[in-house]
Every structure is written in C-alpha cells, then in structure tokens.
Amino acid sequence: IASTKHRLYTFVPQNLWEQFHRVANLWFLLVGICQMLPFDLSPTSEWATIAPLVFVLSVTMAKDAIEDYRRYANDNKVNRRLCRVVVKAKAALDADHETGGLELIPWENITAGSIVYLSKGEEVPADMLLVASSASDGLVYIETSQLDGESALKVKQALPEARRMFRSLSLVSECIGSMTCDAPNGRINEFNGLFRLNGGLREPADVNNMV
C-alpha cells in the first residue's frame, strides 16, 4: 500500500505546483512580481505582497508535509503486518513442518501468484482469488466496511473445481498455474478472469470468487 501523494525528492516542486493552481496564490504571485519590477507600478513595498505569500505557502507546505508523513507512517504499519503464505513443494522440504508448509511474510512482500492462507478473523492483505475453503460448501463470509462502509457480511464462493483439487496444503503447494483477468481498475463490484492449472483445469472467475 502506498497512499502518500509525494516522494521525498519531488515534494517541494509538486507541492508548489499544486499551490499555484489556486487562483489566489497565482494572483498574489503576479502582483508581487509586478511590484518588484523597476517601473514604480505600485505605491507599496515589493515585499508587501511577496512576504505574506511566502508565509502562506510555507505554512501550507508544512501542513501537507505532516499529513503526507502520517500517511507514510500508516502505510509502513500496514505493509509490515504479517500473513501466512503456502510454501512451494520444494521449499517446504527445508521449512519447519510444524507450520504445515506455511511461511510468515510481511504484507508488502506478497506478489502476484502468492498463495495466502487465511484463518477466521484475519484481515485480507490484498485482492485475492478464493481457490479453497475449509467449509464443506466452499463459502466464506467477509466484511468489507473498509471498502464500502457496509458492515453486513458478504458471501464469497471458492472456485468449485479448484476447491475439489486443493484438499490439503500439500496439494495447494504443488499448484502450477496462471490467472488471466481484467487490468486493475476502480470497479470493486466487477471482475472477470480465467483460472488455469497445468493439469488442464480451466475455470472462469467473477467477483463472487474474489476477496
């Protein structure tokens, strides 16, 4: 997650660019420039406009910097949360078998293709395709209040064919496949994809299979 508006090295120019998109700031800048020209266009000192403008810009920049830093700190806090991912079959041989072929990693290290193992009450670290569930009917219930403000639980369905194949962690860890889906977009209630496994399984997926 990266919700900051600026990078450290681009903060000052981007912030000034945004501030001078405000008509009032741009107007006072033009007036200040005119006052500094050697044509006696204004009866007041050239600093009468520039000094207040610099003060306003500086205060606004400081406020924006504090807000952006708070977003950065919150992003780091979220990104460093831990989740469990299924270790691939070969790697599992060297892993601690007491974890059942699972490895704890920070959320920020999740990549496309990671197989994440979630238990009841855990937060979902990313948009994920639901391929298996411990429920006999393959259903899971999730809360999406952080996305849409709705506290009512929503029902999601694991892919039927994939769920029948992934009956244990060892089977999941041996999974080799791919997922074709829509490009990232802002439509949280729409999704179209196709899940493929090397064994020949081809199963369509929609928003009801996403968590």
Side-chain angles (χ1 to χ4, degrees):
I1 295 176
S3 61
T4 53
K5 296 175 62 178
H6 310 282
R7 300 290 185 184
L8 182 62
Y9 53 86
T10 62
F11 174 74
V12 173
Q14 285 184 345
N15 188 266
L16 289 176
W17 176 259
E18 291 176 0
Q19 291 202 60
F20 281 118
H21 273 68
R22 299 169 187 163
V23 176
N25 289 343
L26 186 59
W27 168 255
F28 282 110
L29 176 64
L30 294 176
V31 171
I33 292 174
C34 291
Q35 287 179 325
M36 298 181 73
L37 295 175
F39 301 128
D40 294 330
L41 298 177
S42 173
T44 60
S45 166
E46 62 269 19
W47 296 107
T49 300
I50 291 297
L53 177 62
V54 170
F55 175 77
V56 170
L57 294 177
S58 300
V59 171
T60 303
M61 185 178 294
K63 176 184 70 68
D64 291 344
I66 292 172
E67 291 177 353
D68 220 38
Y69 176 77
R70 287 175 177 170
R71 283 191 289 266
Y72 169 78
N74 186 64
D75 288 347
N76 278 343
K77 182 179 179 181
V78 172
N79 290 334
R80 289 172 182 170
R81 292 177 183 173
L82 298 178
C83 66
R84 291 170 292 177
V85 297
V86 178
V87 180
K88 295 298 182 182
K90 291 183 179 179
L93 295 176
D94 301 323
D96 181 1
H97 289 281
E98 292 182 0
T99 63
L102 299 175
E103 180 183 3
L104 277 175
I105 66 169
W107 283 14
E108 62 186 352
N109 290 348
I110 295 175
T111 59
S114 295
I115 304 175
V116 181
Y117 183 94
L118 295 175
S119 297
K120 181 179 179 180
E122 286 190 70
E123 292 188 49
V124 179
D127 294 333
M128 297 189 296
L129 178 68
L130 186 60
V131 296
S133 168
S134 59
S136 59
D137 54 7
L139 298 180
V140 299
Y141 299 86
I142 64 170
E143 181 186 330
T144 59
S145 58
Q146 293 185 355
L147 291 176
D148 52 22
E150 297 181 10
S151 58
L153 296 179
K154 292 182 172 61
V155 181
K156 298 294 181 176
Q157 171 78 55
L159 293 175
E161 295 300 324
R163 179 170 59 87
R164 294 187 184 95
M165 296 181 64
F166 298 151
R167 296 185 300 275
S168 67
L169 281 179
S170 60
L171 292 175
V172 175
S173 67
E174 295 170 359
C175 168
I176 299 177
S178 63
M179 180 72 187
T180 304
C181 62
D182 300 330
N185 57 67
R187 301 187 298 273
I188 63 174
N189 294 319
E190 295 181 22
F191 179 81
N192 293 288
L194 182 64
F195 181 61
R196 298 184 180 90
L197 286 180
N198 281 6
L201 173 68
R202 294 166 58 91
E203 190 166 11
D206 58 28
V207 69
N208 294 318
N209 308 121
M210 294 294 296
V211 295

